Amino acid sequence: MNTDSVTSLLMEAASLMLIGMLFVFSFLGLLILGIHLIARFCKAFPGEVDSESVSTSRPKHSAQPGIDGNIIAAISAAVHTHRQSNKNI
């Protein structure tokens, strides 16, 4: 194989690598810039928040009708005990 051929192939590979790296770098830079612009826009125009969609209270566990709360407590205690006993294994 000719050394000029190898040199030209290496130069072409290096230029393709450089072009690819510049493309990825510029794309990521534009992506970060876009995210910052969207964040500024959201801070400037926060919009209205529906009070129905935002829930600050913790959801309550709803038991199925016919299941006693004592049974749920006993099952929870058994699961907790089982997990604690298998934790040491």
Side-chain angles (χ1 to χ4, degrees):
M1 191 181 268
N2 193 359
T3 57
D4 291 333
S5 173
V6 172
T7 304
S8 67
L9 286 175
L10 285 175
M11 289 299 291
E12 185 177 352
S15 65
L16 285 174
M17 182 184 67
L18 185 64
I19 290 170
M21 291 175 69
L22 286 173
F23 179 76
V24 169
F25 182 77
S26 62
F27 174 76
L28 292 175
L30 287 173
L31 186 65
I32 291 171
L33 179 68
I35 290 172
H36 283 290
L37 290 175
I38 290 172
R40 279 192 185 166
F41 179 80
C42 289
K43 284 181 184 177
F45 304 104
E48 296 180 16
V49 178
D50 295 336
S51 60
E52 295 176 3
S53 65
V54 177
S55 175
T56 57
S57 63
R58 228 174 99 183
K60 297 178 182 176
H61 295 290
S62 60
Q64 295 177 352
I67 297 179
D68 188 20
N70 292 331
I71 294 174
I72 294 173
I75 292 172
S76 298
V79 168
H80 178 72
T81 305
H82 176 72
R83 287 182 179 165
Q84 290 299 322
S85 65
N86 288 337
K87 195 178 207 179
N88 297 330
I89 294 177

